[in-house]
Amino acid sequence: MSDGTFTQLLDLACGILLLAAVLVLWRRELSAIVRVFAAQGAALAAIAALLAVHEHRWDLFGVAAGIAVLRAGVLPHLMRRALTASGGTQETTPLVNVAASLLTAAALTLLAYAVARPLTELAPSPATRALPVGLAVVLIGFFALVTRRHALSQVVGFLLVDNGITAVAFLATSGVPLIVELGVSFDVLFAVLVLQILTTRMRAAFGSTDLDDLRRLHD
C-alpha cells in the first residue's frame, strides 16, 4: 500500500470515527444510537487494520479482528438486548438540546486539535496527524455521558470515551499489543454485561430506565 493510499484511507476511517460520535449527539432514537456505535466500532477496527498493513505488523490484524467482533458486533448486540429489556425507544430530554450539542461537539473538536498540535509536531506522520480525532471522540463521549438522561445513552457515552482512548493509543504508538487490547476489551465487555443486568432489574422494579424518572421516585 502506497503512503498516499494509506493516508487517504486512514483519514476516511478517522472521519467516520468522529462523525459517529457527532451522530450520537444528533440522534435521539436509542436503536439508531446503537447502530451508529456499531459503525464507529467498524471504523476503529479499520484503523487498526490499516496500521497493520502499513507497519507490517501482522499481530495487529488479530487486534483489528477482535475490535470488529467485540465493538461492532458483541457490544451492540448486548445493548440491543438491554434496550429491549428496558422498553425505552428514545432519549427523552437531554440536558442540552440537539443544536447546542452539535455546536459543543464542534467546539470540542477544535479544542482537541489545539491541544494535540504540540504532539503532532513532535513526530509528524499520517497517524499522529489524526490524533486530534481520537481526542475529540474522547471529549464528545464525556459530553454525552454527562448530558444524556437514559441509562443506555450514558453507557454509549462511556463507550465513546473508550473508543477514543483506543484510537489515540493506536495512532500515537502505531498499535498496541494484542494482550493489552484483549484486557481492555474484556473490561468493557464486563461493564456492558453489568449494564444489561442493571437495566433489566431497573425496568422490572421501577418500570423505566430514564434517570429523571428514577430521581422523581427517589424524591
Side-chain angles (χ1 to χ4, degrees):
M1 181 186 298
S2 66
D3 290 341
T5 303
F6 168 71
T7 301
Q8 291 176 356
L9 292 177
L10 184 64
D11 289 343
L12 176 61
C14 290
I16 295 173
L17 188 80
L18 180 58
L19 178 61
V22 175
L23 288 177
V24 168
L25 298 179
W26 178 50
R27 300 304 298 267
R28 293 182 60 182
E29 298 84 359
L30 295 176
S31 59
I33 290 174
V34 173
R35 290 195 296 270
V36 169
F37 173 76
Q40 188 182 64
L44 187 61
I47 292 173
L50 289 169
L51 290 172
V53 173
H54 186 259
E55 301 291 332
H56 303 291
R57 289 184 53 188
W58 308 114
D59 59 309
L60 286 181
F61 277 115
V63 175
I67 290 175
V69 170
L70 181 64
R71 306 194 186 206
V74 176
L75 291 180
H77 173 69
L78 291 176
M79 286 190 286
R80 290 188 190 98
R81 290 183 58 183
L83 179 60
T84 302
S86 68
T89 58
Q90 68 177 10
E91 178 71 33
T92 53
T93 308
L95 288 177
V96 182
N97 61 36
V98 173
S101 295
L102 295 178
L103 290 175
T104 302
L108 292 175
T109 302
L110 293 175
L111 176 62
Y113 272 88
V115 170
R117 183 176 179 180
L119 298 176
T120 58
E121 290 177 349
L122 289 176
S125 69
T128 56
R129 283 194 291 270
L131 269 177
V133 172
L135 183 57
V137 172
V138 172
L139 296 176
I140 293 172
F142 272 121
F143 180 75
L145 185 60
V146 301
T147 59
R148 293 305 172 119
R149 286 309 194 190
H150 197 282
L152 185 61
S153 296
Q154 292 191 343
V155 170
V156 171
F158 165 75
L159 294 175
L160 288 182
V161 172
D162 182 68
N163 281 351
I165 292 173
T166 303
V168 169
F170 280 132
L171 296 170
T173 64
S174 296
V176 296
L178 177 60
I179 189 64
V180 175
E181 178 58 32
L182 285 176
V184 174
S185 297
F186 278 119
D187 286 342
V188 174
L189 178 60
F190 177 74
V192 174
L193 287 173
V194 171
L195 159 77
Q196 184 178 1
I197 295 171
L198 287 177
T199 52
T200 302
R201 289 184 177 273
M202 287 166 61
R203 177 69 178 177
F206 305 110
S208 174
T209 55
D210 188 287
L211 299 185
D212 281 338
D213 292 342
L214 298 182
R215 288 192 182 93
R216 285 195 289 269
L217 288 174
H218 178 268
D219 295 338

